[in-house]
Amino acid sequence: MNKDKNTAPAKSGKLGLPPLEPKLPPPSPISFDKDLKAPDNERCEGWWDDFGMFDNIKQHSRLVASIATCIAQKAFDAGMDIDVPTVRASAMLHDIAKAYTIRHGGNHSQVGSSWVMRLTGNPLIAMGVLHHVYWPFALDLEKYFLPIVVSYSDKRVMHDNLTSLQDRFSDLEVRYGKTEQIRERIRLTRRQAEKIEAELNKLLGEELNECSFDCRRLV
């Protein structure tokens, strides 16, 4: 892992974990708007600098975006109606508010989503940012592909390295599992990530746990 001098101490309150029994009505699906061009890497990285993103979070975000891009491209090739650059942009921006909330408090998913909506005007990109920690609705890839894939991709990166779900969540329990309630919330998030992986495996016809996500041509 590359450590950066700007990295602030991790606190359990920054995890943004879900409630134990989320009960929310499903949102209306948001379609890709072809008139809303997704911001490219250069534009996203410019916003990172505008909001003071730490270098280690930039490295993490690049890898999350690469994984999300690979999955989106595979799904597109399989016939799904997906705009791959829009998926990538949401993954690039998913942690845009992390440094701010480490310094000042708040929920980085909620803060980041509001910023991204203002910056891009694209509710689909903002939805991916808002729900990247946990997707509190039905796992319907046809209706909610982007936010579900951004959430899954985030779980496959530990710091700035590709990892398995098992290793990612074992690390979270060790670092943040200070109470039984926190540990149960981590386990809840892990169970969802495993379900997402199983659904993606069926959709794509391959085992993502064994995938290297070697999509340099897409980066």
Side-chain angles (χ1 to χ4, degrees), residues 94-160:
H94 79 280
D95 269 348
I96 192 170
K98 194 74 172 285
Y100 177 89
T101 56
I102 287 173
R103 294 184 179 110
H104 305 292
N107 183 300
H108 78 284
S109 301
Q110 295 175 358
V111 175
S113 178
S114 67
W115 289 354
V116 167
M117 186 63 202
R118 175 168 57 84
L119 292 167
T120 68
N122 190 319
L124 191 53
I125 294 177
M127 178 184 275
V129 177
L130 179 62
H131 294 299
H132 77 268
V133 174
Y134 185 81
W135 176 249
F137 312 108
L139 294 180
D140 189 331
L141 287 170
E142 289 288 339
K143 292 181 178 179
Y144 309 115
F145 181 89
L146 184 149
I148 292 173
V149 167
V150 171
S151 178
Y152 172 76
S153 300
D154 183 49
K155 307 306 181 292
R156 291 299 308 274
V157 179
M158 184 161 60
H159 309 301
D160 58 355

Side-chain angles (χ1 to χ4, degrees), residues 30-38 83 86 121-124:
I30 301 174
S31 301
F32 290 105
D33 187 339
K34 298 186 185 341
D35 293 329
L36 289 174
K37 185 177 179 180
D83 186 75
T86 300
N122 190 319
L124 191 53

Side-chain angles (χ1 to χ4, degrees), residues 20 179-189 191:
L20 290 178
T179 68
E180 179 56 31
Q181 184 182 44
I182 292 174
R183 289 191 293 273
E184 177 55 28
R185 291 165 76 192
I186 291 172
R187 289 191 288 267
L188 174 67
T189 308
R191 289 193 293 270

Side-chain angles (χ1 to χ4, degrees), residues 30 46-47 57 63 85 100-101 112 136 142 146-147 178 185 202 204 208:
I30 301 174
W47 287 329
I57 300 177
L63 184 50
Y100 177 89
T101 56
E142 289 288 339
L146 184 149
K178 307 302 182 185
R185 291 165 76 192
K202 287 193 295 183
L204 303 176
L208 290 182

